[in-house]
């Protein structure tokens, strides 16, 4: 706790903080009851700061932590910048867990960023006092370009396959060799029998 009580050094500023509209229109797929990000105030080489709230959905405040580490990766790096949670080392509450009213100051401290994972500690403060710390929050990075993200986020109207000119056929060239991306594709295009066959 002690290292996160005072001001946290996140290094130099690297990007303009994304707007909430951009986050929920372009990066995240969450509905209104899980849109807990109020604004992003700092975006630096070792993390970011934001203001968040409980948005109404069950566990939405903690879900917002996961959203923000995803936002960081999407903005900070250009390739394979979509991630999903794998594990968290420990979550410690320093105030009443059930009292989630008001605005919270969020800080992400990125502790590791490599080809496959992003890991960090996340701190929530309310009125300057630590409310909760999530340590060693680990997200797996996926091989994903804009085309694949578009069909994950908004399947209707987006496609991966290319039309074969002059025919009604479509062609997909298996462009994603890392197996981690395939569940996203299978879920959107294959029925149960086809999944078993594949």
């Amino acid at each position: 706790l002690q290292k996160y009580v005072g001001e946290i050094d996140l290094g130099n500023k690297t990007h303009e903080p994304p707007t909430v509209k951009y986050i929920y229109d372009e990066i995240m797929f969450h509905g209104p009851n899980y849109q807990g990000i109020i604004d992003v105030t700092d975006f630096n080489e070792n993390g970011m700061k934001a203001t968040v709230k409980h948005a109404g959905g069950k566990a939405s405040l903690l879900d917002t932590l996961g959203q923000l580490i995803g936002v960081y990766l999407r903005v900070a790096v250009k390739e394979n910048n979509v991630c999903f949670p794998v594990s968290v080392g420990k979550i410690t509450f320093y105030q009443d867990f059930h009292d989630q009213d008001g605005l919270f100051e969020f800080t992400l401290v990125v502790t590791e960023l490599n080809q496959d994972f992003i890991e960090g500690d996340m701190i929530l403060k309310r009125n300057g006092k630590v409310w909760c710390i999530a340590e060693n929050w680990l997200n797996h990075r996926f091989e994903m370009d804009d085309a694949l993200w578009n069909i994950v986020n908004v399947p209707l109207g987006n496609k991966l396959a290319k039309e074969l000119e002059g025919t009604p056929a479509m062609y997909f060239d298996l462009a994603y060799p890392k197996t981690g991306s395939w569940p996203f594709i299978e879920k959107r295009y294959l029925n149960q029998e086809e999944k078993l066959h594949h």
Side-chain angles (χ1 to χ4, degrees), residues 15 18 27-28 43 47-48 66-84 108 110 112-119 139-143:
H15 297 79
I27 300 178
M28 295 291 147
F43 203 104
M48 63 189 286
Q67 294 176 33
L68 281 161
I69 196 170
V71 168
Y72 183 86
L73 185 68
R74 285 283 285 173
V75 174
V77 301
K78 292 184 178 180
E79 295 182 348
N80 302 339
N81 59 5
V82 172
C83 62
F84 285 89
L108 165 66
V110 176
E112 185 168 358
L113 177 57
N114 59 42
Q115 183 176 353
D116 297 312
F117 296 98
I118 179 171
E119 185 174 8
N139 275 28
H140 184 265
R141 295 177 63 181
F142 289 91
E143 180 185 33

Side-chain angles (χ1 to χ4, degrees):
L1 170 64
Q2 196 59 40
K3 65 180 177 178
Y4 292 136
V5 169
E7 188 64 26
I8 300 169
D9 182 12
L10 298 177
N12 296 323
K13 178 179 177 180
T14 57
H15 297 79
E16 285 300 318
T19 66
V20 173
K21 177 173 172 47
Y22 175 73
I23 290 170
Y24 287 119
D25 285 355
E26 303 293 336
I27 300 178
M28 295 291 147
F29 49 80
H30 301 74
N33 287 337
Y34 287 87
Q35 294 182 1
I37 303 170
I38 302 300
D39 66 355
V40 177
T41 55
D42 297 273
F43 203 104
N44 299 66
E45 58 189 341
N46 299 319
M48 63 189 286
K49 294 184 179 183
T51 305
V52 302
K53 68 173 183 178
H54 182 276
K58 186 176 182 180
S60 66
L61 187 57
L62 292 180
D63 186 81
T64 301
L65 304 187
Q67 294 176 33
L68 281 161
I69 196 170
V71 168
Y72 183 86
L73 185 68
R74 285 283 285 173
V75 174
V77 301
K78 292 184 178 180
E79 295 182 348
N80 302 339
N81 59 5
V82 172
C83 62
F84 285 89
V86 174
S87 64
V88 61
K90 179 171 67 172
I91 301 178
T92 307
F93 295 93
Y94 295 92
Q95 298 184 42
D96 180 7
F97 168 81
H98 298 95
D99 179 10
Q100 301 184 13
D101 293 335
L103 298 180
F104 293 81
E105 308 153 50
F106 165 91
T107 303
L108 165 66
V109 180
V110 176
T111 55
E112 185 168 358
L113 177 57
N114 59 42
Q115 183 176 353
D116 297 312
F117 296 98
I118 179 171
E119 185 174 8
D121 295 340
M122 292 182 258
I123 303 96
L124 282 183
K125 294 181 180 180
R126 185 173 53 188
N127 300 323
K129 295 181 179 179
V130 175
W131 186 82
C132 137
I133 295 178
E135 299 176 75
N136 305 115
W137 187 299
L138 184 68
N139 275 28
H140 184 265
R141 295 177 63 181
F142 289 91
E143 180 185 33
M144 197 168 293
D145 56 17
D146 288 341
L148 181 52
W149 175 248
N150 288 338
I151 70 104
V152 169
N153 203 18
V154 186
L156 184 63
N158 290 299
K159 58 192 174 194
L160 289 174
K162 297 176 175 62
E163 296 180 30
L164 293 177
E165 191 173 349
T167 77
M170 304 287 286
Y171 173 73
F172 178 57
D173 63 2
L174 306 179
Y176 307 98
K178 285 191 176 181
T179 57
S181 298
W182 281 102
F184 297 106
I185 299 171
E186 291 176 349
K187 184 176 181 181
R188 279 147 186 84
Y189 290 107
L190 305 182
N191 62 32
Q192 291 302 322
E193 185 177 344
E194 290 167 338
K195 287 178 185 176
L196 288 172
H197 176 76
H198 183 266

